[in-house]
Amino acid sequence: MTEKIIPLADQRYLNRIPIVPAHLEAPTGLLADTRARPLHDLRISITDRCNFRCVYCMPKEVFDKDYPYLPHSSLLTFEEITRVASLFVAHGVEKIRLTGGEPLLRKNVEKLIEMLAALRTPDGRELDLTLTTNGSLLARKAQALKDAGLKRVTVSLDALDDAVFKKMNDVDFAVTDVLEGIEAAHRVGLGPIKINMVVKGGMNDQEILPMARHFKDTPYVLRFIEYMDVGTSNGWKMDEVIPSAEVVRRISADMPLEPIAPNYTGETANRWRHADGSGEIGVISSVTQAFCSDCSRARLSTEGKLYTCLFATGGHDLRALLRNGNSDEEISTVIAHIWRARDDRYSELRTANTSELKERKVEMSYIGG
Ligand code: SAM
Ligand code: SF4
Ligand code: SF4
């Protein structure tokens, strides 16, 4: 991938970063960016590999046997991940999500979870430590993940109909295996569990209602995600996006819904509850209703680059700092500079012609969702 890498160790670069005026700092006194958004979440991609080939993420034609996946030596080690994570936690991060690729494919992932679970916020609280998975290995691993200190999981599931699901994952993986994984995670206490369904028009939108019916009256919260133009491989077109308003309209016509307040500022999903009191759903309208103004997420790629937006074209190479003998204080200062300079709001600026952008955006499987 041709991609812009910003040389962090370069002092001239650091000097160019504007310092945020004091009145724009987060009310907590912790870090804030140029739009006064605090640094609250860290998403860590721990592998760029996956056992699925979801059509909207890792299309088979691109992610074939010749695809240049990262060599093992490029990956951050568990010690490096934990060290960086601890610096982010000192800056105010309270929620860490492991992702990928498929995070459960990373060897000994339980060990990493154990190391991250030992971190504490500056005032001594445990982190909200979670993970997003395609569920394929969940039935086998749920207990070990729980024992290692994972708090909860989010499971991606794009259809209940086996044929449609297999068309989406493109590796012939059966729905029942994912459903078993979800149940296993629930049994061992990895809840509350969220189920994410990416809706791609003409592909799985006929599954909106069956999914809503299936997860109604269960402990699981189903969330519908608008198909996004992440990366450059999935051939995204605006007319394949089913707007969240349409998802809500279709469900409401069958099972009346009413809106409910967000759980916290910066929550990506808009919440709706079944009027008969049988649970709630969420819609994530990344395309039709951008939520950049509350976006408090930083992303660490598998090889240790820091991205301040899912749609970034360049990352900041923290691995170089880790492996060049820089102190915690130095790396921490760099993180602060990067966050303070952040002005990303891609989704607010998106047009139907994003595929015409000249710079390559990073792939979802590399940066994580
Ligand atoms: N492999 C894991 C999984 O699928 O849950 C974790 C990584 S995956 C990249 C994280 C999330 O991103 C998944 O819920 C997936 O459905 C979502 N995703 C991937 N490509 C997307 C796209 N183009 N638009 C919207 N969501 C996408
Ligand atoms: Fe793999 Fe997740 Fe991407 Fe599907 S969405 S190809 S499961 S990384
Ligand atoms: Fe955050 Fe970038 Fe998504 Fe906006 S487009 S919500 S800034 S990740």
Side-chain angles (χ1 to χ4, degrees):
M1 180 190 313
T2 53
E3 194 207 322
K4 187 172 68 195
I5 300 172
I6 301 163
L8 281 181
D10 186 339
Q11 197 56 39
R12 286 164 305 171
Y13 165 70
L14 288 183
N15 289 341
R16 281 206 308 273
I17 293 181
I19 301 297
V20 176
H23 70 278
L24 283 182
E25 285 290 6
T28 52
L30 294 168
L31 275 184
D33 69 8
T34 62
R35 298 178 185 276
R37 297 170 295 190
L39 172 56
H40 183 264
D41 290 44
L42 177 64
R43 297 183 174 216
I44 308 175
S45 171
I46 58 172
T47 176
D48 60 341
R49 291 163 197 258
C50 189
N51 52 345
F52 282 15
R53 286 292 174 274
C54 302
V55 289
Y56 51 76
C57 180
M58 295 180 78
K60 252 182 186 163
E61 315 78 70
V62 177
F63 294 86
D64 58 12
K65 62 177 185 6
D66 297 323
Y67 187 82
Y69 293 103
L70 295 168
H72 196 259
S73 59
S74 292
L75 273 48
L76 289 191
T77 64
F78 290 174
E79 286 72 21
E80 288 170 331
I81 293 173
T82 308
R83 183 174 168 209
V84 175
S86 73
L87 301 178
F88 274 92
V89 170
H91 276 312
V93 161
E94 300 194 347
K95 176 171 163 187
I96 292 185
R97 177 178 298 280
L98 299 183
T99 173
E102 174 46 44
L104 298 187
L105 287 182
R106 179 86 185 244
K107 220 168 146 200
N108 300 323
V109 61
E110 302 83 358
K111 178 69 204 156
L112 173 64
I113 288 168
E114 217 175 283
M115 292 162 75
L116 293 172
L119 299 178
R120 293 290 176 271
T121 62
D123 59 356
R125 282 172 295 125
E126 291 186 358
L127 299 178
D128 180 8
L129 182 58
T130 176
L131 170 154
T132 305
T133 173
N134 62 23
S136 58
L137 300 170
L138 202 48
R140 223 178 303 161
K141 284 186 172 269
Q143 188 65 57
L145 295 170
K146 176 71 182 173
D147 294 345
L150 191 69
K151 298 266 191 253
R152 56 195 180 86
V153 290
T154 296
V155 184
S156 306
L157 179 63
D158 295 328
L160 273 183
D161 178 272
D162 214 38
V164 178
F165 184 59
K166 285 178 172 165
K167 220 163 119 191
M168 294 294 278
N169 66 52
D170 218 5
V171 292
D172 226 22
F173 200 87
V175 175
T176 46
D177 294 351
V178 179
L179 293 175
E180 271 169 30
I182 294 170
E183 272 160 38
H186 177 64
R187 261 197 315 275
V188 303
L190 283 173
I193 297 175
K194 291 177 190 148
I195 313 290
N196 280 353
M197 169 178 176
V198 174
V199 183
K200 186 172 178 199
M203 195 96 202
N204 68 335
D205 58 309
Q206 71 281 23
E207 287 291 295
I208 293 171
L209 266 184
M211 286 281 285
R213 281 192 202 114
H214 182 85
F215 287 105
K216 186 173 183 281
D217 244 335
T218 69
Y220 314 122
V221 176
L222 175 62
R223 304 180 326 160
F224 298 90
I225 305 180
E226 286 178 352
Y227 171 41
M228 291 187 284
D229 49 334
V230 197
T232 42
S233 302
N234 63 9
W236 182 85
K237 291 192 212 79
M238 186 65 112
D239 56 17
E240 288 168 338
V241 177
I242 305 282
S244 293
E246 169 64 11
V247 171
V248 170
R249 193 195 60 74
R250 287 196 205 174
I251 299 173
S252 235
D254 192 68
M255 297 166 269
L257 294 172
E258 43 197 45
I260 36 178
N263 285 313
Y264 53 88
T265 314
E267 189 171 32
T268 47
N270 286 327
R271 301 168 65 208
W272 294 78
R273 77 172 151 230
H274 290 287
D276 65 3
S278 57
E280 70 175 81
I281 63 144
V283 287
I284 303 184
S285 322
S286 346
V287 178
T288 60
Q289 240 189 306
F291 38 79
C292 300
S293 60
D294 285 329
C295 179
S296 55
R297 259 155 272 135
R299 295 177 154 88
L300 187 64
S301 78
T302 318
E303 53 179 343
K305 287 196 204 133
L306 172 60
Y307 291 84
T308 54
C309 178
L310 181 54
F311 299 92
T313 51
H316 307 262
D317 189 0
L318 296 189
R319 190 187 63 190
L321 300 182
L322 289 165
R323 296 191 181 171
N324 285 344
N326 291 81
S327 68
D328 281 356
E329 202 178 4
E330 285 164 335
I331 301 173
S332 188
T333 304
V334 166
I335 293 170
H337 275 291
I338 292 169
W339 193 261
R340 288 202 170 112
R342 174 181 190 249
D343 65 355
D344 305 271
R345 54 187 190 110
Y346 175 90
S347 288
E348 286 179 0
L349 307 172
R350 171 194 284 111
T351 69
N353 305 323
T354 52
S355 52
E356 290 165 17
L357 281 177
K358 288 193 186 63
E359 287 185 285
R360 284 176 73 93
K361 292 175 283 167
V362 288
E363 294 298 335
M364 187 71 128
S365 52
Y366 169 81
I367 195 173

